[in-house]
PDB file of all heavy atoms in Angstrom:
ATOM      1  N   THR A   1    -122.771  10.798  35.352  1.00 95.00           N
ATOM      2  CA  THR A   1    -123.435  11.650  34.369  1.00 95.00           C
ATOM      3  C   THR A   1    -123.234  11.054  32.980  1.00 95.00           C
ATOM      4  O   THR A   1    -122.108  10.759  32.589  1.00 95.00           O
ATOM      5  CB  THR A   1    -122.877  13.076  34.407  1.00 95.00           C
ATOM      6  OG1 THR A   1    -123.087  13.615  35.722  1.00 95.00           O
ATOM      7  CG2 THR A   1    -123.577  13.960  33.392  1.00 95.00           C
ATOM      8  N   ALA A   2    -124.333  10.890  32.252  1.00 96.00           N
ATOM      9  CA  ALA A   2    -124.300  10.255  30.935  1.00 96.00           C
ATOM     10  C   ALA A   2    -124.788  11.227  29.867  1.00 96.00           C
ATOM     11  O   ALA A   2    -125.725  11.985  30.101  1.00 96.00           O
ATOM     12  CB  ALA A   2    -125.159   8.997  30.919  1.00 96.00           C
ATOM     13  N   THR A   3    -124.122  11.193  28.725  1.00 95.00           N
ATOM     14  CA  THR A   3    -124.578  11.921  27.535  1.00 95.00           C
ATOM     15  C   THR A   3    -125.219  10.904  26.609  1.00 95.00           C
ATOM     16  O   THR A   3    -124.547  10.006  26.090  1.00 95.00           O
ATOM     17  CB  THR A   3    -123.411  12.623  26.836  1.00 95.00           C
ATOM     18  OG1 THR A   3    -122.789  13.533  27.753  1.00 95.00           O
ATOM     19  CG2 THR A   3    -123.902  13.401  25.634  1.00 95.00           C
ATOM     20  N   VAL A   4    -126.525  11.032  26.407  1.00 96.00           N
ATOM     21  CA  VAL A   4    -127.328  10.008  25.755  1.00 96.00           C
ATOM     22  C   VAL A   4    -127.709  10.458  24.348  1.00 96.00           C
ATOM     23  O   VAL A   4    -128.060  11.623  24.131  1.00 96.00           O
ATOM     24  CB  VAL A   4    -128.601   9.707  26.566  1.00 96.00           C
ATOM     25  CG1 VAL A   4    -129.360   8.523  25.973  1.00 96.00           C
ATOM     26  CG2 VAL A   4    -128.251   9.430  28.021  1.00 96.00           C
ATOM     27  N   GLY A   5    -127.627   9.526  23.415  1.00 95.00           N
ATOM     28  CA  GLY A   5    -128.137   9.731  22.059  1.00 95.00           C
ATOM     29  C   GLY A   5    -129.226   8.715  21.779  1.00 95.00           C
ATOM     30  O   GLY A   5    -128.979   7.507  21.807  1.00 95.00           O
ATOM     31  N   ILE A   6    -130.451   9.188  21.538  1.00 95.00           N
ATOM     32  CA  ILE A   6    -131.597   8.314  21.310  1.00 95.00           C
ATOM     33  C   ILE A   6    -131.941   8.356  19.824  1.00 95.00           C
ATOM     34  O   ILE A   6    -132.190   9.427  19.266  1.00 95.00           O
ATOM     35  CB  ILE A   6    -132.801   8.754  22.152  1.00 95.00           C
ATOM     36  CG1 ILE A   6    -132.433   8.751  23.648  1.00 95.00           C
ATOM     37  CG2 ILE A   6    -134.006   7.845  21.904  1.00 95.00           C
ATOM     38  CD1 ILE A   6    -133.508   9.346  24.539  1.00 95.00           C
ATOM     39  N   VAL A   7    -131.937   7.195  19.182  1.00 94.00           N
ATOM     40  CA  VAL A   7    -132.222   7.100  17.754  1.00 94.00           C
ATOM     41  C   VAL A   7    -133.733   7.123  17.559  1.00 94.00           C
ATOM     42  O   VAL A   7    -134.440   6.195  17.947  1.00 94.00           O
ATOM     43  CB  VAL A   7    -131.615   5.819  17.149  1.00 94.00           C
ATOM     44  CG1 VAL A   7    -131.936   5.726  15.661  1.00 94.00           C
ATOM     45  CG2 VAL A   7    -130.116   5.779  17.382  1.00 94.00           C
ATOM     46  N   THR A   8    -134.246   8.183  16.937  1.00 92.00           N
ATOM     47  CA  THR A   8    -135.685   8.317  16.710  1.00 92.00           C
ATOM     48  C   THR A   8    -136.110   7.864  15.322  1.00 92.00           C
ATOM     49  O   THR A   8    -137.283   7.569  15.104  1.00 92.00           O
ATOM     50  CB  THR A   8    -136.112   9.777  16.921  1.00 92.00           C
ATOM     51  OG1 THR A   8    -135.384  10.632  16.017  1.00 92.00           O
ATOM     52  CG2 THR A   8    -135.821  10.218  18.353  1.00 92.00           C
ATOM     53  N   ALA A   9    -135.180   7.837  14.378  1.00 91.00           N
ATOM     54  CA  ALA A   9    -135.476   7.346  13.022  1.00 91.00           C
ATOM     55  C   ALA A   9    -134.175   6.851  12.410  1.00 91.00           C
ATOM     56  O   ALA A   9    -133.108   7.435  12.638  1.00 91.00           O
ATOM     57  CB  ALA A   9    -136.097   8.433  12.156  1.00 91.00           C
ATOM     58  N   GLU A  10    -134.261   5.779  11.618  1.00 90.00           N
ATOM     59  CA  GLU A  10    -133.039   5.174  11.080  1.00 90.00           C
ATOM     60  C   GLU A  10    -133.328   4.535   9.732  1.00 90.00           C
ATOM     61  O   GLU A  10    -134.387   3.929   9.543  1.00 90.00           O
ATOM     62  CB  GLU A  10    -132.505   4.128  12.057  1.00 90.00           C
ATOM     63  CG  GLU A  10    -131.146   3.565  11.701  1.00 90.00           C
ATOM     64  CD  GLU A  10    -130.620   2.622  12.766  1.00 90.00           C
ATOM     65  OE1 GLU A  10    -131.437   2.155  13.595  1.00 90.00           O
ATOM     66  OE2 GLU A  10    -129.414   2.349  12.766  1.00 90.00           O
ATOM     67  N   ARG A  11    -132.400   4.708   8.807  1.00 89.00           N
ATOM     68  CA  ARG A  11    -132.461   4.057   7.498  1.00 89.00           C
ATOM     69  C   ARG A  11    -131.120   3.372   7.255  1.00 89.00           C
ATOM     70  O   ARG A  11    -130.069   3.973   7.450  1.00 89.00           O
ATOM     71  CB  ARG A  11    -132.715   5.075   6.390  1.00 89.00           C
ATOM     72  CG  ARG A  11    -133.958   5.935   6.582  1.00 89.00           C
ATOM     73  CD  ARG A  11    -135.233   5.196   6.256  1.00 89.00           C
ATOM     74  NE  ARG A  11    -136.337   6.143   6.192  1.00 89.00           N
ATOM     75  CZ  ARG A  11    -137.031   6.554   7.256  1.00 89.00           C
ATOM     76  NH1 ARG A  11    -136.721   6.083   8.460  1.00 89.00           N
ATOM     77  NH2 ARG A  11    -138.027   7.401   7.117  1.00 89.00           N
ATOM     78  N   ASP A  12    -131.165   2.131   6.807  1.00 91.00           N
ATOM     79  CA  ASP A  12    -129.952   1.361   6.533  1.00 91.00           C
ATOM     80  C   ASP A  12    -129.803   1.147   5.038  1.00 91.00           C
ATOM     81  O   ASP A  12    -130.792   0.937   4.309  1.00 91.00           O
ATOM     82  CB  ASP A  12    -129.999   0.004   7.250  1.00 91.00           C
ATOM     83  CG  ASP A  12    -129.921   0.156   8.764  1.00 91.00           C
ATOM     84  OD1 ASP A  12    -129.233   1.093   9.221  1.00 91.00           O
ATOM     85  OD2 ASP A  12    -130.556  -0.644   9.476  1.00 91.00           O
ATOM     86  N   SER A  13    -128.555   1.193   4.579  1.00 91.00           N
ATOM     87  CA  SER A  13    -128.193   0.903   3.179  1.00 91.00           C
ATOM     88  C   SER A  13    -128.998   1.758   2.209  1.00 91.00           C
ATOM     89  O   SER A  13    -129.613   1.255   1.252  1.00 91.00           O
ATOM     90  CB  SER A  13    -128.402  -0.591   2.879  1.00 91.00           C
ATOM     91  OG  SER A  13    -127.576  -1.382   3.701  1.00 91.00           O
ATOM     92  N   VAL A  14    -129.030   3.064   2.460  1.00 91.00           N
ATOM     93  CA  VAL A  14    -129.721   3.989   1.562  1.00 91.00           C
ATOM     94  C   VAL A  14    -128.685   4.891   0.905  1.00 91.00           C
ATOM     95  O   VAL A  14    -127.588   5.099   1.424  1.00 91.00           O
ATOM     96  CB  VAL A  14    -130.767   4.835   2.331  1.00 91.00           C
ATOM     97  CG1 VAL A  14    -131.861   3.956   2.892  1.00 91.00           C
ATOM     98  CG2 VAL A  14    -130.102   5.655   3.436  1.00 91.00           C
ATOM     99  N   LEU A  15    -129.034   5.440  -0.252  1.00 93.00           N
ATOM    100  CA  LEU A  15    -128.160   6.390  -0.933  1.00 93.00           C
ATOM    101  C   LEU A  15    -128.171   7.698  -0.155  1.00 93.00           C
ATOM    102  O   LEU A  15    -129.244   8.228   0.185  1.00 93.00           O
ATOM    103  CB  LEU A  15    -128.651   6.630  -2.364  1.00 93.00           C
ATOM    104  CG  LEU A  15    -127.785   7.551  -3.229  1.00 93.00           C
ATOM    105  CD1 LEU A  15    -126.397   6.951  -3.408  1.00 93.00           C
ATOM    106  CD2 LEU A  15    -128.455   7.795  -4.575  1.00 93.00           C
ATOM    107  N   ARG A  16    -126.984   8.209   0.149  1.00 92.00           N
ATOM    108  CA  ARG A  16    -126.886   9.404   0.988  1.00 92.00           C
ATOM    109  C   ARG A  16    -125.804  10.324   0.449  1.00 92.00           C
ATOM    110  O   ARG A  16    -124.865   9.892  -0.221  1.00 92.00           O
ATOM    111  CB  ARG A  16    -126.582   9.029   2.437  1.00 92.00           C
ATOM    112  CG  ARG A  16    -125.225   8.361   2.621  1.00 92.00           C
ATOM    113  CD  ARG A  16    -124.958   7.975   4.049  1.00 92.00           C
ATOM    114  NE  ARG A  16    -123.576   7.508   4.223  1.00 92.00           N
ATOM    115  CZ  ARG A  16    -123.050   7.152   5.388  1.00 92.00           C
ATOM    116  NH1 ARG A  16    -123.791   7.195   6.481  1.00 92.00           N
ATOM    117  NH2 ARG A  16    -121.795   6.749   5.466  1.00 92.00           N
ATOM    118  N   VAL A  17    -125.974  11.612   0.764  1.00 92.00           N
ATOM    119  CA  VAL A  17    -124.978  12.625   0.403  1.00 92.00           C
ATOM    120  C   VAL A  17    -124.690  13.468   1.635  1.00 92.00           C
ATOM    121  O   VAL A  17    -125.549  13.620   2.519  1.00 92.00           O
ATOM    122  CB  VAL A  17    -125.479  13.523  -0.750  1.00 92.00           C
ATOM    123  CG1 VAL A  17    -125.637  12.721  -2.017  1.00 92.00           C
ATOM    124  CG2 VAL A  17    -126.785  14.212  -0.374  1.00 92.00           C
ATOM    125  N   PRO A  18    -123.493  14.043   1.736  1.00 93.00           N
ATOM    126  CA  PRO A  18    -123.200  14.928   2.869  1.00 93.00           C
ATOM    127  C   PRO A  18    -124.095  16.167   2.832  1.00 93.00           C
ATOM    128  O   PRO A  18    -124.482  16.656   1.757  1.00 93.00           O
ATOM    129  CB  PRO A  18    -121.720  15.287   2.675  1.00 93.00           C
ATOM    130  CG  PRO A  18    -121.179  14.239   1.778  1.00 93.00           C
ATOM    131  CD  PRO A  18    -122.303  13.826   0.889  1.00 93.00           C
ATOM    132  N   ASP A  19    -124.422  16.681   3.998  1.00 91.00           N
ATOM    133  CA  ASP A  19    -125.261  17.877   4.067  1.00 91.00           C
ATOM    134  C   ASP A  19    -124.595  19.073   3.403  1.00 91.00           C
ATOM    135  O   ASP A  19    -125.276  19.978   2.907  1.00 91.00           O
ATOM    136  CB  ASP A  19    -125.575  18.208   5.535  1.00 91.00           C
ATOM    137  CG  ASP A  19    -126.605  17.258   6.112  1.00 91.00           C
ATOM    138  OD1 ASP A  19    -127.150  16.439   5.346  1.00 91.00           O
ATOM    139  OD2 ASP A  19    -126.875  17.342   7.332  1.00 91.00           O
ATOM    140  N   GLN A  20    -123.256  19.122   3.357  1.00 90.00           N
ATOM    141  CA  GLN A  20    -122.560  20.230   2.709  1.00 90.00           C
ATOM    142  C   GLN A  20    -122.888  20.308   1.221  1.00 90.00           C
ATOM    143  O   GLN A  20    -122.920  21.395   0.635  1.00 90.00           O
ATOM    144  CB  GLN A  20    -121.047  20.086   2.887  1.00 90.00           C
ATOM    145  CG  GLN A  20    -120.563  20.324   4.303  1.00 90.00           C
ATOM    146  CD  GLN A  20    -119.066  20.144   4.423  1.00 90.00           C
ATOM    147  OE1 GLN A  20    -118.436  19.575   3.543  1.00 90.00           O
ATOM    148  NE2 GLN A  20    -118.500  20.646   5.502  1.00 90.00           N
ATOM    149  N   ALA A  21    -123.165  19.148   0.613  1.00 90.00           N
ATOM    150  CA  ALA A  21    -123.471  19.149  -0.812  1.00 90.00           C
ATOM    151  C   ALA A  21    -124.791  19.862  -1.095  1.00 90.00           C
ATOM    152  O   ALA A  21    -124.968  20.435  -2.172  1.00 90.00           O
ATOM    153  CB  ALA A  21    -123.533  17.712  -1.336  1.00 90.00           C
ATOM    154  N   LEU A  22    -125.716  19.833  -0.141  1.00 89.00           N
ATOM    155  CA  LEU A  22    -127.000  20.498  -0.342  1.00 89.00           C
ATOM    156  C   LEU A  22    -126.871  22.010  -0.212  1.00 89.00           C
ATOM    157  O   LEU A  22    -127.732  22.749  -0.711  1.00 89.00           O
ATOM    158  CB  LEU A  22    -128.024  19.972   0.668  1.00 89.00           C
ATOM    159  CG  LEU A  22    -128.288  18.459   0.647  1.00 89.00           C
ATOM    160  CD1 LEU A  22    -129.278  18.084   1.743  1.00 89.00           C
ATOM    161  CD2 LEU A  22    -128.810  18.019  -0.711  1.00 89.00           C
ATOM    162  N   ARG A  23    -125.827  22.471   0.466  1.00 88.00           N
ATOM    163  CA  ARG A  23    -125.666  23.905   0.686  1.00 88.00           C
ATOM    164  C   ARG A  23    -124.655  24.550  -0.274  1.00 88.00           C
ATOM    165  O   ARG A  23    -124.519  25.773  -0.286  1.00 88.00           O
ATOM    166  CB  ARG A  23    -125.227  24.161   2.133  1.00 88.00           C
ATOM    167  CG  ARG A  23    -126.243  23.713   3.170  1.00 88.00           C
ATOM    168  CD  ARG A  23    -125.860  24.201   4.558  1.00 88.00           C
ATOM    169  NE  ARG A  23    -124.688  23.513   5.073  1.00 88.00           N
ATOM    170  CZ  ARG A  23    -124.743  22.437   5.843  1.00 88.00           C
ATOM    171  NH1 ARG A  23    -125.912  21.912   6.162  1.00 88.00           N
ATOM    172  NH2 ARG A  23    -123.638  21.881   6.294  1.00 88.00           N
ATOM    173  N   TYR A  24    -123.968  23.723  -1.057  1.00 88.00           N
ATOM    174  CA  TYR A  24    -122.934  24.253  -1.950  1.00 88.00           C
ATOM    175  C   TYR A  24    -123.563  24.920  -3.174  1.00 88.00           C
ATOM    176  O   TYR A  24    -124.545  24.424  -3.744  1.00 88.00           O
ATOM    177  CB  TYR A  24    -121.988  23.146  -2.389  1.00 88.00           C
ATOM    178  CG  TYR A  24    -121.057  23.572  -3.501  1.00 88.00           C
ATOM    179  CD1 TYR A  24    -119.981  24.404  -3.249  1.00 88.00           C
ATOM    180  CD2 TYR A  24    -121.295  23.159  -4.815  1.00 88.00           C
ATOM    181  CE1 TYR A  24    -119.139  24.817  -4.274  1.00 88.00           C
ATOM    182  CE2 TYR A  24    -120.454  23.556  -5.840  1.00 88.00           C
ATOM    183  CZ  TYR A  24    -119.381  24.399  -5.561  1.00 88.00           C
ATOM    184  OH  TYR A  24    -118.567  24.808  -6.572  1.00 88.00           O
ATOM    185  N   LEU A  25    -122.951  26.016  -3.609  1.00 86.00           N
ATOM    186  CA  LEU A  25    -123.363  26.723  -4.821  1.00 86.00           C
ATOM    187  C   LEU A  25    -122.102  27.224  -5.510  1.00 86.00           C
ATOM    188  O   LEU A  25    -121.306  27.942  -4.894  1.00 86.00           O
ATOM    189  CB  LEU A  25    -124.287  27.889  -4.482  1.00 86.00           C
ATOM    190  CG  LEU A  25    -124.938  28.609  -5.673  1.00 86.00           C
ATOM    191  CD1 LEU A  25    -125.900  27.674  -6.391  1.00 86.00           C
ATOM    192  CD2 LEU A  25    -125.649  29.868  -5.204  1.00 86.00           C
ATOM    193  N   PRO A  26    -121.870  26.865  -6.788  1.00 84.00           N
ATOM    194  CA  PRO A  26    -120.660  27.330  -7.479  1.00 84.00           C
ATOM    195  C   PRO A  26    -120.629  28.847  -7.576  1.00 84.00           C
ATOM    196  O   PRO A  26    -121.665  29.516  -7.597  1.00 84.00           O
ATOM    197  CB  PRO A  26    -120.769  26.674  -8.863  1.00 84.00           C
ATOM    198  CG  PRO A  26    -121.699  25.527  -8.677  1.00 84.00           C
ATOM    199  CD  PRO A  26    -122.660  25.950  -7.614  1.00 84.00           C
ATOM    200  N   THR A  27    -119.428  29.377  -7.664  1.00 77.00           N
ATOM    201  CA  THR A  27    -119.265  30.822  -7.798  1.00 77.00           C
ATOM    202  C   THR A  27    -119.919  31.304  -9.086  1.00 77.00           C
ATOM    203  O   THR A  27    -119.686  30.762 -10.164  1.00 77.00           O
ATOM    204  CB  THR A  27    -117.775  31.181  -7.798  1.00 77.00           C
ATOM    205  OG1 THR A  27    -117.181  30.716  -6.590  1.00 77.00           O
ATOM    206  CG2 THR A  27    -117.587  32.684  -7.904  1.00 77.00           C
ATOM    207  N   GLY A  28    -120.758  32.302  -8.951  1.00 66.00           N
ATOM    208  CA  GLY A  28    -121.419  32.874 -10.109  1.00 66.00           C
ATOM    209  C   GLY A  28    -122.722  32.210 -10.470  1.00 66.00           C
ATOM    210  O   GLY A  28    -123.457  32.720 -11.324  1.00 66.00           O
ATOM    211  N   ALA A  29    -123.054  31.070  -9.832  1.00 66.00           N
ATOM    212  CA  ALA A  29    -124.311  30.398 -10.143  1.00 66.00           C
ATOM    213  C   ALA A  29    -125.447  31.060  -9.393  1.00 66.00           C
ATOM    214  O   ALA A  29    -125.275  31.561  -8.273  1.00 66.00           O
ATOM    215  CB  ALA A  29    -124.220  28.915  -9.793  1.00 66.00           C
ATOM    216  N   SER A  30    -126.617  31.041  -9.960  1.00 61.00           N
ATOM    217  CA  SER A  30    -127.804  31.615  -9.311  1.00 61.00           C
ATOM    218  C   SER A  30    -128.499  30.544  -8.486  1.00 61.00           C
ATOM    219  O   SER A  30    -128.423  29.357  -8.788  1.00 61.00           O
ATOM    220  CB  SER A  30    -128.765  32.168 -10.360  1.00 61.00           C
ATOM    221  OG  SER A  30    -129.172  31.127 -11.237  1.00 61.00           O
ATOM    222  N   VAL A  31    -129.178  30.998  -7.454  1.00 59.00           N
ATOM    223  CA  VAL A  31    -129.906  30.080  -6.577  1.00 59.00           C
ATOM    224  C   VAL A  31    -131.221  29.735  -7.234  1.00 59.00           C
ATOM    225  O   VAL A  31    -132.042  30.622  -7.502  1.00 59.00           O
ATOM    226  CB  VAL A  31    -130.135  30.694  -5.188  1.00 59.00           C
ATOM    227  CG1 VAL A  31    -130.894  29.736  -4.321  1.00 59.00           C
ATOM    228  CG2 VAL A  31    -128.800  31.070  -4.567  1.00 59.00           C
ATOM    229  N   ALA A  32    -131.432  28.455  -7.484  1.00 55.00           N
ATOM    230  CA  ALA A  32    -132.670  28.018  -8.114  1.00 55.00           C
ATOM    231  C   ALA A  32    -133.656  27.571  -7.051  1.00 55.00           C
ATOM    232  O   ALA A  32    -133.293  26.812  -6.150  1.00 55.00           O
ATOM    233  CB  ALA A  32    -132.386  26.879  -9.091  1.00 55.00           C
ATOM    234  N   PRO A  33    -134.919  28.021  -7.110  1.00 49.00           N
ATOM    235  CA  PRO A  33    -135.903  27.583  -6.118  1.00 49.00           C
ATOM    236  C   PRO A  33    -136.259  26.120  -6.307  1.00 49.00           C
ATOM    237  O   PRO A  33    -136.082  25.551  -7.392  1.00 49.00           O
ATOM    238  CB  PRO A  33    -137.098  28.492  -6.405  1.00 49.00           C
ATOM    239  CG  PRO A  33    -136.961  28.844  -7.844  1.00 49.00           C
ATOM    240  CD  PRO A  33    -135.495  28.940  -8.107  1.00 49.00           C
ATOM    241  N   LYS A  34    -136.805  25.534  -5.259  1.00 53.00           N
ATOM    242  CA  LYS A  34    -137.238  24.147  -5.337  1.00 53.00           C
ATOM    243  C   LYS A  34    -138.434  24.038  -6.270  1.00 53.00           C
ATOM    244  O   LYS A  34    -139.265  24.939  -6.352  1.00 53.00           O
ATOM    245  CB  LYS A  34    -137.600  23.609  -3.948  1.00 53.00           C
ATOM    246  CG  LYS A  34    -136.417  23.459  -3.019  1.00 53.00           C
ATOM    247  CD  LYS A  34    -136.838  22.840  -1.714  1.00 53.00           C
ATOM    248  CE  LYS A  34    -135.651  22.649  -0.785  1.00 53.00           C
ATOM    249  NZ  LYS A  34    -136.057  22.031   0.507  1.00 53.00           N
ATOM    250  N   SER A  35    -138.499  22.898  -6.946  1.00 50.00           N
ATOM    251  CA  SER A  35    -139.617  22.681  -7.839  1.00 50.00           C
ATOM    252  C   SER A  35    -140.866  22.331  -7.052  1.00 50.00           C
ATOM    253  O   SER A  35    -140.820  22.128  -5.850  1.00 50.00           O
ATOM    254  CB  SER A  35    -139.267  21.559  -8.828  1.00 50.00           C
ATOM    255  OG  SER A  35    -139.151  20.325  -8.135  1.00 50.00           O
ATOM    256  N   SER A  36    -141.972  22.242  -7.771  1.00 47.00           N
ATOM    257  CA  SER A  36    -143.237  21.932  -7.117  1.00 47.00           C
ATOM    258  C   SER A  36    -143.249  20.539  -6.513  1.00 47.00           C
ATOM    259  O   SER A  36    -144.021  20.246  -5.616  1.00 47.00           O
ATOM    260  CB  SER A  36    -144.392  22.071  -8.126  1.00 47.00           C
ATOM    261  OG  SER A  36    -144.172  21.179  -9.230  1.00 47.00           O
ATOM    262  N   LYS A  37    -142.373  19.687  -7.001  1.00 65.00           N
ATOM    263  CA  LYS A  37    -142.296  18.331  -6.462  1.00 65.00           C
ATOM    264  C   LYS A  37    -141.374  18.238  -5.260  1.00 65.00           C
ATOM    265  O   LYS A  37    -141.115  17.147  -4.760  1.00 65.00           O
ATOM    266  CB  LYS A  37    -141.823  17.365  -7.551  1.00 65.00           C
ATOM    267  CG  LYS A  37    -142.790  17.251  -8.716  1.00 65.00           C
ATOM    268  CD  LYS A  37    -142.293  16.243  -9.730  1.00 65.00           C
ATOM    269  CE  LYS A  37    -143.263  16.108 -10.914  1.00 65.00           C
ATOM    270  NZ  LYS A  37    -142.780  15.125 -11.910  1.00 65.00           N
ATOM    271  N   GLY A  38    -140.842  19.345  -4.801  1.00 70.00           N
ATOM    272  CA  GLY A  38    -139.981  19.346  -3.630  1.00 70.00           C
ATOM    273  C   GLY A  38    -138.588  18.833  -3.900  1.00 70.00           C
ATOM    274  O   GLY A  38    -137.940  18.305  -2.995  1.00 70.00           O
TER     275      GLY A  38
END
């Protein structure tokens, strides 16, 4: 029995941030909506 991971998309040597950084919000800060440019 094998547990398989298939790479469907890949980027090498790109600027990246942890996903936790996208979900973090300082205490007391308001949630700002995304701009029209995404």
Side-chain angles (χ1 to χ4, degrees):
T1 300
T3 301
V4 187
I6 302 172
V7 179
T8 59
E10 188 175 18
R11 305 283 192 275
D12 292 326
S13 299
V14 296
L15 183 62
R16 64 181 188 177
V17 294
D19 285 354
Q20 290 179 344
L22 302 178
R23 297 190 290 266
Y24 170 75
L25 188 66
T27 302
S30 60
V31 179
K34 292 184 178 180
S35 67
S36 59
K37 296 182 180 180

